[in-house]
Tab-separated table of all heavy atoms in Angstrom:
chain	number	residue	atom	x	y	z
N	64	MET	N	25.491	7.113	23.766
N	64	MET	CA	25.795	8.124	22.749
N	64	MET	C	24.437	8.721	22.267
N	64	MET	O	23.536	7.973	21.928
N	64	MET	CB	26.558	7.495	21.608
N	64	MET	CG	27.222	8.521	20.747
N	64	MET	SD	28.060	7.815	19.328
N	64	MET	CE	29.384	6.922	20.072
N	65	LYS	N	24.338	10.015	22.231
N	65	LYS	CA	23.132	10.687	21.860
N	65	LYS	C	23.102	10.983	20.350
N	65	LYS	O	24.074	11.535	19.835
N	65	LYS	CB	23.027	11.980	22.634
N	65	LYS	CG	21.621	12.462	22.833
N	65	LYS	CD	21.630	13.674	23.748
N	65	LYS	CE	20.277	13.867	24.353
N	65	LYS	NZ	20.241	15.012	25.193
N	66	ARG	N	22.023	10.582	19.685
N	66	ARG	CA	21.971	10.880	18.240
N	66	ARG	C	21.291	12.211	18.030
N	66	ARG	O	20.311	12.543	18.653
N	66	ARG	CB	21.072	9.801	17.574
N	66	ARG	CG	21.844	8.519	17.300
N	66	ARG	CD	21.032	7.511	16.630
N	66	ARG	NE	20.294	8.021	15.509
N	66	ARG	CZ	19.701	7.288	14.614
N	66	ARG	NH1	19.753	5.983	14.716
N	66	ARG	NH2	19.057	7.808	13.609
N	67	SER	N	21.811	12.916	17.085
N	67	SER	CA	21.285	14.215	16.745
N	67	SER	C	20.105	13.996	15.782
N	67	SER	O	20.162	13.183	14.867
N	67	SER	CB	22.367	15.077	16.079
N	67	SER	OG	21.777	16.257	15.633
N	68	LEU	N	19.046	14.769	15.968
N	68	LEU	CA	17.853	14.659	15.132
N	68	LEU	C	17.596	15.985	14.450
N	68	LEU	O	16.697	16.737	14.838
N	68	LEU	CB	16.628	14.230	15.971
N	68	LEU	CG	16.713	12.897	16.649
N	68	LEU	CD1	15.487	12.647	17.518
N	68	LEU	CD2	16.855	11.737	15.647
N	69	PRO	N	18.352	16.308	13.397
N	69	PRO	CA	18.193	17.598	12.756
N	69	PRO	C	16.828	17.728	12.029
N	69	PRO	O	16.387	18.824	11.747
N	69	PRO	CB	19.362	17.659	11.776
N	69	PRO	CG	19.694	16.254	11.489
N	69	PRO	CD	19.387	15.505	12.768
N	70	TRP	N	16.221	16.646	11.689
N	70	TRP	CA	14.967	16.673	10.936
N	70	TRP	C	13.743	16.790	11.850
N	70	TRP	O	12.644	17.010	11.384
N	70	TRP	CB	14.833	15.439	10.056
N	70	TRP	CG	15.134	14.187	10.823
N	70	TRP	CD1	16.303	13.540	10.944
N	70	TRP	CD2	14.174	13.412	11.576
N	70	TRP	NE1	16.173	12.409	11.715
N	70	TRP	CE2	14.879	12.295	12.141
N	70	TRP	CE3	12.824	13.523	11.834
N	70	TRP	CZ2	14.246	11.346	12.952
N	70	TRP	CZ3	12.233	12.554	12.617
N	70	TRP	CH2	12.946	11.508	13.155
N	71	LEU	N	13.920	16.693	13.158
N	71	LEU	CA	12.807	16.743	14.083
N	71	LEU	C	12.020	18.039	14.027
N	71	LEU	O	10.776	17.989	13.954
N	71	LEU	CB	13.293	16.445	15.523
N	71	LEU	CG	12.153	16.282	16.552
N	71	LEU	CD1	11.255	15.125	16.173
N	71	LEU	CD2	12.760	16.027	17.927
N	72	PRO	N	12.601	19.227	14.026
N	72	PRO	CA	11.810	20.448	13.918
N	72	PRO	C	11.006	20.521	12.611
N	72	PRO	O	9.841	20.968	12.625
N	72	PRO	CB	12.863	21.587	13.931
N	72	PRO	CG	14.028	20.977	14.615
N	72	PRO	CD	14.035	19.527	14.254
N	73	MET	N	11.565	20.048	11.495
N	73	MET	CA	10.827	20.046	10.256
N	73	MET	C	9.668	19.071	10.325
N	73	MET	O	8.524	19.400	9.861
N	73	MET	CB	11.704	19.673	9.068
N	73	MET	CG	10.978	19.801	7.755
N	73	MET	SD	11.815	19.488	6.205
N	73	MET	CE	13.344	18.834	6.576
N	74	LEU	N	9.836	17.931	10.958
N	74	LEU	CA	8.756	16.979	11.123
N	74	LEU	C	7.640	17.542	11.950
N	74	LEU	O	6.456	17.397	11.584
N	74	LEU	CB	9.299	15.676	11.753
N	74	LEU	CG	8.256	14.573	12.047
N	74	LEU	CD1	7.680	14.087	10.728
N	74	LEU	CD2	8.896	13.490	12.794
N	75	LEU	N	7.976	18.208	13.013
N	75	LEU	CA	6.972	18.846	13.875
N	75	LEU	C	6.178	19.906	13.133
N	75	LEU	O	4.981	20.016	13.247
N	75	LEU	CB	7.597	19.413	15.137
N	75	LEU	CG	8.123	18.379	16.116
N	75	LEU	CD1	8.865	19.084	17.273
N	75	LEU	CD2	7.021	17.505	16.665
N	76	ALA	N	6.879	20.726	12.321
N	76	ALA	CA	6.237	21.756	11.552
N	76	ALA	C	5.282	21.147	10.528
N	76	ALA	O	4.147	21.636	10.375
N	76	ALA	CB	7.274	22.612	10.842
N	77	VAL	N	5.709	20.070	9.898
N	77	VAL	CA	4.809	19.409	8.900
N	77	VAL	C	3.604	18.798	9.575
N	77	VAL	O	2.510	18.851	9.041
N	77	VAL	CB	5.608	18.310	8.133
N	77	VAL	CG1	4.686	17.437	7.275
N	77	VAL	CG2	6.653	18.976	7.228
N	78	LEU	N	3.760	18.273	10.778
N	78	LEU	CA	2.633	17.685	11.465
N	78	LEU	C	1.635	18.770	11.985
N	78	LEU	O	0.472	18.476	12.112
N	78	LEU	CB	3.138	16.856	12.673
N	78	LEU	CG	3.850	15.595	12.292
N	78	LEU	CD1	4.398	14.934	13.556
N	78	LEU	CD2	2.901	14.618	11.601
N	79	LEU	N	2.118	19.961	12.243
N	79	LEU	CA	1.266	21.046	12.694
N	79	LEU	C	0.547	21.790	11.559
N	79	LEU	O	-0.454	22.456	11.779
N	79	LEU	CB	2.034	22.061	13.525
N	79	LEU	CG	2.535	21.528	14.875
N	79	LEU	CD1	3.405	22.586	15.558
N	79	LEU	CD2	1.370	21.181	15.776
N	80	LEU	N	1.007	21.637	10.331
N	80	LEU	CA	0.419	22.373	9.212
N	80	LEU	C	-1.079	21.991	8.976
N	80	LEU	O	-1.862	22.862	8.707
N	80	LEU	CB	1.191	22.073	7.908
N	80	LEU	CG	2.438	22.899	7.799
N	80	LEU	CD1	3.204	22.495	6.561
N	80	LEU	CD2	2.186	24.370	7.722
N	81	PRO	N	-1.494	20.738	9.107
N	81	PRO	CA	-2.923	20.452	8.885
N	81	PRO	C	-3.854	21.097	9.853
N	81	PRO	O	-5.037	21.252	9.586
N	81	PRO	CB	-2.977	18.929	9.015
N	81	PRO	CG	-1.621	18.433	8.753
N	81	PRO	CD	-0.687	19.505	9.232
N	82	LEU	N	-3.345	21.507	10.998
N	82	LEU	CA	-4.246	22.191	11.968
N	82	LEU	C	-4.774	23.493	11.445
N	82	LEU	O	-5.878	23.857	11.784
N	82	LEU	CB	-3.480	22.402	13.285
N	82	LEU	CG	-3.049	21.159	14.021
N	82	LEU	CD1	-2.217	21.508	15.238
N	82	LEU	CD2	-4.244	20.305	14.417
N	83	THR	N	-4.012	24.189	10.640
N	83	THR	CA	-4.482	25.447	10.051
N	83	THR	C	-4.952	25.240	8.612
N	83	THR	O	-5.330	26.172	7.954
N	83	THR	CB	-3.363	26.518	10.079
N	83	THR	OG1	-2.269	26.025	9.310
N	83	THR	CG2	-2.935	26.828	11.462
N	84	GLY	N	-4.899	24.007	8.134
N	84	GLY	CA	-5.254	23.724	6.754
N	84	GLY	C	-6.696	24.014	6.405
N	84	GLY	O	-7.020	24.548	5.357
N	85	CYS	N	-7.623	23.700	7.303
N	85	CYS	CA	-9.035	23.891	7.009
N	85	CYS	C	-9.363	25.401	6.850
N	85	CYS	O	-10.116	25.799	5.967
N	85	CYS	CB	-9.895	23.329	8.158
N	85	CYS	SG	-9.791	21.522	8.221
N	86	GLU	N	-8.764	26.197	7.661
N	86	GLU	CA	-8.985	27.638	7.578
N	86	GLU	C	-8.388	28.151	6.277
N	86	GLU	O	-9.049	28.991	5.585
N	86	GLU	CB	-8.324	28.376	8.742
N	86	GLU	CG	-8.567	29.847	8.788
N	86	GLU	CD	-7.921	30.485	9.993
N	86	GLU	OE1	-7.759	29.806	10.998
N	86	GLU	OE2	-7.571	31.672	9.896
N	87	ALA	N	-7.235	27.692	5.888
N	87	ALA	CA	-6.606	28.156	4.668
N	87	ALA	C	-7.400	27.726	3.412
N	87	ALA	O	-7.626	28.518	2.507
N	87	ALA	CB	-5.164	27.616	4.553
N	88	ILE	N	-7.895	26.539	3.451
N	88	ILE	CA	-8.746	26.017	2.317
N	88	ILE	C	-10.007	26.832	2.191
N	88	ILE	O	-10.436	27.176	1.086
N	88	ILE	CB	-8.997	24.526	2.491
N	88	ILE	CG1	-7.730	23.729	2.281
N	88	ILE	CG2	-10.081	24.057	1.523
N	88	ILE	CD1	-7.822	22.273	2.625
N	89	GLY	N	-10.628	27.199	3.323
N	89	GLY	CA	-11.820	27.988	3.292
N	89	GLY	C	-11.579	29.366	2.642
N	89	GLY	O	-12.348	29.890	1.860
N	90	GLU	N	-10.447	29.981	3.011
N	90	GLU	CA	-10.072	31.285	2.445
N	90	GLU	C	-9.794	31.155	0.935
N	90	GLU	O	-10.114	32.056	0.171
N	90	GLU	CB	-8.880	31.851	3.176
N	90	GLU	CG	-9.163	32.209	4.620
N	90	GLU	CD	-10.194	33.289	4.760
N	90	GLU	OE1	-10.181	34.244	3.939
N	90	GLU	OE2	-11.006	33.166	5.711
N	91	ILE	N	-9.167	30.078	0.520
N	91	ILE	CA	-8.833	29.877	-0.875
N	91	ILE	C	-10.147	29.773	-1.705
N	91	ILE	O	-10.291	30.391	-2.752
N	91	ILE	CB	-7.967	28.625	-1.077
N	91	ILE	CG1	-6.563	28.885	-0.568
N	91	ILE	CG2	-7.959	28.177	-2.524
N	91	ILE	CD1	-5.687	27.668	-0.527
N	92	PHE	N	-11.109	29.032	-1.195
N	92	PHE	CA	-12.364	28.894	-1.960
N	92	PHE	C	-13.164	30.190	-1.931
N	92	PHE	O	-13.956	30.424	-2.886
N	92	PHE	CB	-13.180	27.735	-1.420
N	92	PHE	CG	-12.700	26.412	-1.934
N	92	PHE	CD1	-12.123	25.496	-1.067
N	92	PHE	CD2	-12.781	26.110	-3.273
N	92	PHE	CE1	-11.654	24.297	-1.535
N	92	PHE	CE2	-12.363	24.905	-3.754
N	92	PHE	CZ	-11.763	23.987	-2.863
N	93	LYS	N	-13.022	31.031	-0.934
N	93	LYS	CA	-13.634	32.353	-0.945
N	93	LYS	C	-13.048	33.215	-2.047
N	93	LYS	O	-13.751	33.996	-2.652
N	93	LYS	CB	-13.511	33.020	0.408
N	93	LYS	CG	-14.399	32.503	1.464
N	93	LYS	CD	-14.209	33.279	2.746
N	93	LYS	CE	-14.963	32.661	3.902
N	93	LYS	NZ	-14.675	33.305	5.169
N	94	ALA	N	-11.762	33.066	-2.279
N	94	ALA	CA	-11.064	33.875	-3.275
N	94	ALA	C	-11.351	33.391	-4.683
N	94	ALA	O	-11.302	34.183	-5.616
N	94	ALA	CB	-9.562	33.813	-3.037
N	95	GLY	N	-11.687	32.142	-4.864
N	95	GLY	CA	-12.002	31.652	-6.196
N	95	GLY	C	-11.238	30.404	-6.541
N	95	GLY	O	-10.153	30.134	-6.004
N	96	ALA	N	-11.782	29.635	-7.501
N	96	ALA	CA	-11.160	28.352	-7.843
N	96	ALA	C	-9.812	28.545	-8.523
N	96	ALA	O	-8.854	27.843	-8.218
N	96	ALA	CB	-12.077	27.581	-8.795
N	97	TYR	N	-9.682	29.515	-9.437
N	97	TYR	CA	-8.418	29.689	-10.114
N	97	TYR	C	-7.311	30.156	-9.154
N	97	TYR	O	-6.192	29.719	-9.259
N	97	TYR	CB	-8.529	30.715	-11.271
N	97	TYR	CG	-9.356	30.149	-12.412
N	97	TYR	CD1	-10.561	30.728	-12.782
N	97	TYR	CD2	-8.913	29.050	-13.120
N	97	TYR	CE1	-11.337	30.196	-13.781
N	97	TYR	CE2	-9.681	28.519	-14.145
N	97	TYR	CZ	-10.895	29.119	-14.492
N	97	TYR	OH	-11.645	28.601	-15.478
N	98	THR	N	-7.659	30.973	-8.224
N	98	THR	CA	-6.702	31.405	-7.234
N	98	THR	C	-6.263	30.226	-6.394
N	98	THR	O	-5.056	30.114	-6.034
N	98	THR	CB	-7.326	32.501	-6.292
N	98	THR	OG1	-7.816	33.561	-7.117
N	98	THR	CG2	-6.306	33.006	-5.328
N	99	GLY	N	-7.185	29.363	-6.046
N	99	GLY	CA	-6.858	28.165	-5.260
N	99	GLY	C	-5.928	27.223	-6.024
N	99	GLY	O	-4.999	26.697	-5.471
N	100	ILE	N	-6.218	27.029	-7.320
N	100	ILE	CA	-5.420	26.168	-8.157
N	100	ILE	C	-3.962	26.697	-8.252
N	100	ILE	O	-2.989	25.980	-8.078
N	100	ILE	CB	-6.024	26.015	-9.546
N	100	ILE	CG1	-7.328	25.177	-9.426
N	100	ILE	CG2	-5.062	25.321	-10.517
N	100	ILE	CD1	-8.156	25.153	-10.695
N	101	ILE	N	-3.868	28.017	-8.464
N	101	ILE	CA	-2.534	28.655	-8.618
N	101	ILE	C	-1.824	28.529	-7.250
N	101	ILE	O	-0.622	28.257	-7.199
N	101	ILE	CB	-2.666	30.121	-9.050
N	101	ILE	CG1	-3.158	30.169	-10.488
N	101	ILE	CG2	-1.343	30.851	-8.909
N	101	ILE	CD1	-3.550	31.520	-10.969
N	102	GLY	N	-2.536	28.749	-6.163
N	102	GLY	CA	-1.910	28.651	-4.859
N	102	GLY	C	-1.407	27.247	-4.566
N	102	GLY	O	-0.302	27.072	-4.042
N	103	VAL	N	-2.169	26.240	-4.904
N	103	VAL	CA	-1.781	24.855	-4.637
N	103	VAL	C	-0.540	24.521	-5.523
N	103	VAL	O	0.390	23.917	-5.016
N	103	VAL	CB	-2.937	23.856	-4.958
N	103	VAL	CG1	-2.444	22.458	-5.010
N	103	VAL	CG2	-3.993	24.043	-3.915
N	104	ILE	N	-0.503	24.980	-6.745
N	104	ILE	CA	0.618	24.707	-7.629
N	104	ILE	C	1.866	25.383	-7.043
N	104	ILE	O	2.954	24.767	-7.042
N	104	ILE	CB	0.307	25.153	-9.049
N	104	ILE	CG1	-0.744	24.231	-9.664
N	104	ILE	CG2	1.583	25.181	-9.911
N	104	ILE	CD1	-1.249	24.729	-11.030
N	105	VAL	N	1.728	26.607	-6.607
N	105	VAL	CA	2.892	27.298	-6.033
N	105	VAL	C	3.423	26.582	-4.816
N	105	VAL	O	4.625	26.390	-4.628
N	105	VAL	CB	2.563	28.790	-5.694
N	105	VAL	CG1	3.598	29.422	-4.857
N	105	VAL	CG2	2.311	29.573	-6.966
N	106	VAL	N	2.534	26.129	-3.944
N	106	VAL	CA	2.949	25.411	-2.731
N	106	VAL	C	3.641	24.115	-3.098
N	106	VAL	O	4.715	23.745	-2.521
N	106	VAL	CB	1.747	25.158	-1.775
N	106	VAL	CG1	2.122	24.187	-0.696
N	106	VAL	CG2	1.299	26.486	-1.200
N	107	ILE	N	3.138	23.374	-4.058
N	107	ILE	CA	3.742	22.100	-4.465
N	107	ILE	C	5.089	22.370	-5.058
N	107	ILE	O	6.084	21.612	-4.720
N	107	ILE	CB	2.825	21.333	-5.473
N	107	ILE	CG1	1.574	20.812	-4.719
N	107	ILE	CG2	3.565	20.199	-6.104
N	107	ILE	CD1	0.520	20.225	-5.631
N	108	VAL	N	5.247	23.352	-5.887
N	108	VAL	CA	6.556	23.657	-6.488
N	108	VAL	C	7.554	24.042	-5.395
N	108	VAL	O	8.706	23.563	-5.427
N	108	VAL	CB	6.418	24.750	-7.561
N	108	VAL	CG1	7.767	25.320	-7.955
N	108	VAL	CG2	5.656	24.264	-8.748
N	109	LEU	N	7.130	24.845	-4.437
N	109	LEU	CA	8.034	25.238	-3.358
N	109	LEU	C	8.455	24.019	-2.527
N	109	LEU	O	9.647	23.893	-2.130
N	109	LEU	CB	7.396	26.295	-2.469
N	109	LEU	CG	7.329	27.677	-3.029
N	109	LEU	CD1	6.502	28.558	-2.108
N	109	LEU	CD2	8.719	28.253	-3.186
N	110	LEU	N	7.545	23.140	-2.223
N	110	LEU	CA	7.856	21.953	-1.461
N	110	LEU	C	8.830	21.030	-2.236
N	110	LEU	O	9.785	20.506	-1.656
N	110	LEU	CB	6.611	21.147	-1.101
N	110	LEU	CG	5.746	21.760	0.003
N	110	LEU	CD1	4.459	20.968	0.184
N	110	LEU	CD2	6.497	21.803	1.326
N	111	LEU	N	8.600	20.852	-3.511
N	111	LEU	CA	9.486	20.040	-4.306
N	111	LEU	C	10.869	20.642	-4.364
N	111	LEU	O	11.891	19.923	-4.259
N	111	LEU	CB	8.936	19.859	-5.733
N	111	LEU	CG	7.729	18.979	-5.896
N	111	LEU	CD1	7.186	19.021	-7.301
N	111	LEU	CD2	8.057	17.575	-5.494
N	112	TRP	N	10.957	21.974	-4.495
N	112	TRP	CA	12.248	22.646	-4.501
N	112	TRP	C	12.975	22.467	-3.171
N	112	TRP	O	14.156	22.154	-3.153
N	112	TRP	CB	12.052	24.121	-4.813
N	112	TRP	CG	13.289	24.951	-4.823
N	112	TRP	CD1	14.257	24.877	-5.728
N	112	TRP	CD2	13.725	25.834	-3.794
N	112	TRP	NE1	15.298	25.753	-5.383
N	112	TRP	CE2	14.960	26.342	-4.164
N	112	TRP	CE3	13.122	26.250	-2.588
N	112	TRP	CZ2	15.637	27.263	-3.404
N	112	TRP	CZ3	13.821	27.183	-1.835
N	112	TRP	CH2	15.070	27.684	-2.231
N	113	LEU	N	12.222	22.655	-2.110
N	113	LEU	CA	12.860	22.459	-0.736
N	113	LEU	C	13.344	21.044	-0.527
N	113	LEU	O	14.446	20.854	-0.031
N	113	LEU	CB	11.892	22.884	0.357
N	113	LEU	CG	11.676	24.364	0.585
N	113	LEU	CD1	10.542	24.592	1.544
N	113	LEU	CD2	12.967	25.013	1.044
N	114	PHE	N	12.554	20.073	-0.914
N	114	PHE	CA	12.931	18.674	-0.681
N	114	PHE	C	14.097	18.322	-1.592
N	114	PHE	O	14.976	17.568	-1.173
N	114	PHE	CB	11.761	17.718	-0.936
N	114	PHE	CG	10.837	17.620	0.203
N	114	PHE	CD1	9.460	17.863	0.004
N	114	PHE	CD2	11.246	17.343	1.472
N	114	PHE	CE1	8.573	17.807	1.064
N	114	PHE	CE2	10.397	17.277	2.549
N	114	PHE	CZ	9.057	17.468	2.328
N	115	SER	N	14.153	18.833	-2.797
N	115	SER	CA	15.300	18.547	-3.696
N	115	SER	C	16.567	19.123	-3.093
N	115	SER	O	17.626	18.490	-3.172
N	115	SER	CB	15.041	19.070	-5.108
N	115	SER	OG	15.076	20.463	-5.119
N	116	ARG	N	16.503	20.327	-2.539
N	116	ARG	CA	17.709	20.909	-1.949
N	116	ARG	C	18.111	20.161	-0.681
N	116	ARG	O	19.282	19.984	-0.372
N	116	ARG	CB	17.438	22.389	-1.610
N	116	ARG	CG	17.394	23.253	-2.840
N	116	ARG	CD	17.334	24.717	-2.555
N	116	ARG	NE	18.363	25.163	-1.663
N	116	ARG	CZ	19.549	25.617	-2.047
N	116	ARG	NH1	19.860	25.633	-3.333
N	116	ARG	NH2	20.417	26.067	-1.183
N	117	PHE	N	17.141	19.691	0.086
N	117	PHE	CA	17.413	19.019	1.341
N	117	PHE	C	18.053	17.658	1.063
N	117	PHE	O	19.056	17.294	1.713
N	117	PHE	CB	16.124	18.781	2.126
N	117	PHE	CG	16.284	18.041	3.419
N	117	PHE	CD1	16.880	18.661	4.495
N	117	PHE	CD2	15.838	16.761	3.551
N	117	PHE	CE1	17.041	17.965	5.689
N	117	PHE	CE2	15.986	16.077	4.735
N	117	PHE	CZ	16.602	16.675	5.783
N	118	PHE	N	17.533	16.890	0.113
N	118	PHE	CA	18.102	15.561	-0.174
N	118	PHE	C	19.322	15.577	-1.021
N	118	PHE	O	20.096	14.627	-1.029
N	118	PHE	CB	17.015	14.671	-0.816
N	118	PHE	CG	15.933	14.265	0.184
N	118	PHE	CD1	14.640	14.670	-0.014
N	118	PHE	CD2	16.249	13.525	1.272
N	118	PHE	CE1	13.637	14.331	0.912
N	118	PHE	CE2	15.270	13.124	2.199
N	118	PHE	CZ	13.962	13.548	2.009
N	119	ARG	N	19.569	16.662	-1.740
N	119	ARG	CA	20.760	16.760	-2.546
N	119	ARG	C	22.036	16.891	-1.688
N	119	ARG	O	23.078	16.401	-2.040
N	119	ARG	CB	20.700	17.944	-3.492
N	119	ARG	CG	21.775	17.972	-4.518
N	119	ARG	CD	21.657	19.132	-5.464
N	119	ARG	NE	20.393	19.839	-5.385
N	119	ARG	CZ	20.112	20.886	-6.110
N	119	ARG	NH1	20.922	21.305	-7.023
N	119	ARG	NH2	18.939	21.560	-5.993
N	120	ARG	N	21.897	17.550	-0.529
N	120	ARG	CA	23.030	17.739	0.347
N	120	ARG	C	23.448	16.456	1.083
N	120	ARG	O	24.554	16.300	1.510
N	120	ARG	CB	22.689	18.793	1.383
N	120	ARG	CG	22.580	20.154	0.801
N	120	ARG	CD	22.322	21.167	1.829
N	120	ARG	NE	22.080	22.460	1.231
N	120	ARG	CZ	21.880	23.583	1.911
N	120	ARG	NH1	21.837	23.564	3.206
N	120	ARG	NH2	21.685	24.670	1.268
N	121	GLY	N	22.487	15.547	1.267
N	121	GLY	CA	22.765	14.348	2.030
N	121	GLY	C	23.600	13.378	1.249
N	121	GLY	O	24.586	12.849	1.547
């Protein structure tokens, strides 16, 4: 019996994100510290929102 792995594409995407992370961090610091702080907060809030929706359905 074959098990379905619906979370596998998300896992692969999360594993590939650090590959572009250094370039993104460099651009954030070029833009300024406050822009970087706001950007990080926005990303964290979005991730928390996505994870809460994902785990609420299960």
Side-chain angles (χ1 to χ4, degrees):
M64 197 184 291
K65 206 174 201 182
R66 281 181 47 167
S67 175
L68 299 175
W70 49 268
L71 187 60
M73 186 177 9
L74 178 65
L75 291 174
V77 169
L78 290 174
L79 290 175
L80 282 176
L82 295 177
T83 60
C85 293
E86 183 178 332
I88 290 171
E90 295 296 322
I91 287 171
F92 281 112
K93 284 182 188 174
Y97 291 115
T98 306
I100 291 170
I101 292 170
V103 167
I104 290 172
V105 168
V106 168
I107 290 172
V108 168
L109 284 173
L110 286 174
L111 289 173
W112 178 74
L113 284 173
F114 281 125
S115 70
R116 289 187 52 90
F117 179 71
F118 288 116
R119 189 178 350 180
R120 291 183 184 182

